[in-house]
Every structure is written in C-alpha cells, then in structure tokens.
Amino acid sequence: MRDRLTAREAIAALTDAFEEAPAPGDTVEPGYDGDGPLAWTGYADSRARAAARTGEDESVVHGLASVGGRRCVLVSFEFGFLGGSLGQRTGDRLEAAYEAARTRALPLVSLIATGGSRMQEGMVALTQLQRVARASARLRAAGPAQLAVLRDPTTGGGWATLGAGADVILALPGAQVGFAGSRVRPPDADPHAYTAEGQLAAGQIDAVVPPGELPGTVAHWLRALHAPASPALPAPVPDALSATGLPGSGWDAVRQARSPARPRAEAYLDAYFDHRLPLGGDRCGGTDPGLLCGFGRREGRSIAYVAQCGTATRPAGYRAAARVIRLAGRLGVPVLTLIDTPGAANDAEAERAGAGAAIADAFAAMAEARVPVTTLVIGEGGSGGALALAAPGNTHVTRDSYFSVIAPELAAAILKRAPQEARATADQLRLRPQDLVELGFARSVVGPARE
C-alpha cells in the first residue's frame, strides 16, 4: 500500500488557510452508542482505536479554506479512520459542509479517500449516500460549483456521490478509482479500469494532476468557476487568424475551409485565452479527441469554450459539449463555440453510441442556454453536426469557412449528378461566408486583428 496523506496533511498541502468547522450535533439513533445501530460486536472498540491512531473522531474533516487566495468550503477524508468509510456521523458532517457552501455561496472542494459505506452500520450507513445526493442537488440548484480531488482510494459510494457527482473531477496519479473496491471486483477484471488514468481514458474524470501541481490547478479552477456578480456579457468574437480573401465561388469556399494550412481550433484558443483548463470526456465512458472544451480566462473574465477540431464529431463530443454549456449556464459564465467539422460521425460505432440522442442533447443545451453564447465558424460547417453547437443569432464566420446543409459532393450524389458537378452544386448551396451573412445565418464575416 502506498503512503497516504492524512486528512489534515492533504488540507495543508493544498490550502493557504483552513478554519475547521465544529462538528454538527450528531444525530444519534437508538442503539448508535456503543456498538452502533446494528449492535455490531467490537464496533465501539474499532472506532476508539481509529480515533487513537488518527486523532480524529470521524472519517471526514470540513471547514472554510483558502486555495490560492480563493475561498471555498473544504472536505477532507481520513482514510486511516475505518478506511474513510461513510457512516451516519460522516453524513452529518458532509451535509453540514454542503449546507455551508450553499448558504455562503462558496464552491465545495472535496479531497476524497474512502473505501465506501461502513458495513458495521448497515443500511443506516448506506442511506447516507441519499443524504449526500440531496445535499449536492441543493447546492447545485443554488449555483456554486463542486470540485472533487480523487485520492487513493476513491471507491464505492464516495466515488458514486461526492466524486462522480462533482462538476470538475481531478485525480492524483495512480489513485485507485472505481465503484468496486479491490476486494469485491471480478478476479479477471482489468486493473487499469480502476485507476485514475483508466477513468481519464474512459471520459469519467477531467484530469490527472501531480501532487505538486494540485494547489495551482485547484486555484485556477476556483477562479474559472467563479460566478460573476452581474449578468454575463457575451464572449468577444475571436479575431480571424488568417488573412485569406473572400472566396469567389462556392467551391473556392470549400477548398479554403478544407486547406491543411488553415488555422485550427487549438491555435484560436491559444490566441484567445490567457489561461485555459480543459474538461475531458462525456462521463458516459467516451471521449472525443476532436472536440476541445473547458473553461478559460481572458482579461480577467471566465469564459467556457467548446471547439471542434476539423474532424467528424463523435457522440462523446456532443455529450461533453452539452455538459460544459449547462455548467456554464449554472455558473453565469458566457460560452464561446468554434465550429469546424465536416459533420457528425456517421459510422456504426457512432450509431451504437447514441449519435442521434447526443446531437439532440447538444441542440437542447444550446436552446436552453442561460448565458450568452458566441460562435465563430473557423472552417467547415457540415450540416446538423456543426449546427448543433452554433449560437442562434450570434454566429460569425471567417473568410476561410463555409456552412452548408450538406457537403456539395453528397448533394450531387443525392441529386444523381455526375461527381464533377459538385463544384456547381456548391454555388447553388450558397455556402460562402458572404452568402451566410446575406441569408441572415451569420452576423458578420470576421477578419484578422488590425486589418
């Protein structure tokens, strides 16, 4: 077993300051004292030994903290106290922490290290997961963000509530992460699936962060997730990164948008943001490397972003995009989307992964957005797969972009035209940037800075 930080060591390694909250008035059901609600022989002695060994009277410590100058409510698990397990009194403390975050309008940061629910308390312990879920839902409805740091191990109900239920999930390298603990998994299970790195690859967490980088990373996230005091203003439209001229024909527009020399999303994001923090995965077992999303800082403002990278967008990408748009709406942070895709992925794997439902959910997230969304089309705008992430009424286009109901080659095939007629079909589709403005789809054609 690797060396583990205690709850207070984990707090000290992360925070600038910490003020522990007093333990809430414990709810004591009949029979809890002594060997607990199940009268589990030796339970009182086990708690006493755990307290003597750790100096704690329960498996969590909570209070007000400062991380990089940003205030938050902090929860830290003590794995040395009965494996960081959740019992009734643990639930009291967790509920108090969530309530403090809600009433103070502060984000909640959880440093998790737990083996799950405490079997010596049976169903009394298990139902604490419902208490945590209710407290988390109340905090989410009030607005403040929830950020989890997964230490080793994070398993069972602690992972399935505080961990996986957080808005942003970070993990320490090599941490054991999974609903099933090491002693209850199938004997032939792939061990990589139960690690922080495996969960990252499966789109279940957002980043694996080395311990030395954790304070800075958490501080950046607390700044990025901070809700502004006033209603969010729209994100500024990015400058175009190329000085290409307007296309003369529809086929010229397609050719310019497909040019390998054209600037892509990564370059736009680097030029636009002073600092950005990626969010990874769809939380449903999938990732799409062709879609970048997260939160960034620009001139002191937080802006969420969703950016297509020129490839066919997969269902996991649309689900991740919808997640970011909804989180930004809850926090009052404006959104920037960059459109660049030949269309939604249409292979059999994409269909099995729920392409239609994922695209529908992205359309719904955009339609329901509670904050301004700004869109810039920087390359190909391929049909509904691109439109799902375009802001109605606030979409702009670059000169090396196009947007079309269908690709010209596919339109020609559907119309039973010869392949060489795709060029003339592109003109009929009126897909050039200047056409898109004239048709009322785009507000402007954006040029490079200081043009």
Side-chain angles (χ1 to χ4, degrees), residues 93-94 314 319 330 375 392 403 447:
R93 287 155 173 74
L94 292 174
R314 307 203 65 79
R319 285 192 287 265
R330 205 183 89 219
T375 295
F403 217 120

Side-chain angles (χ1 to χ4, degrees), residues 23-24 26 57-58 60 62 89-98:
D26 291 316
D57 61 0
E58 250 306 332
V60 294
H62 76 284
R89 288 174 173 170
T90 320
D92 293 339
R93 287 155 173 74
L94 292 174
E95 189 173 56
Y98 277 99

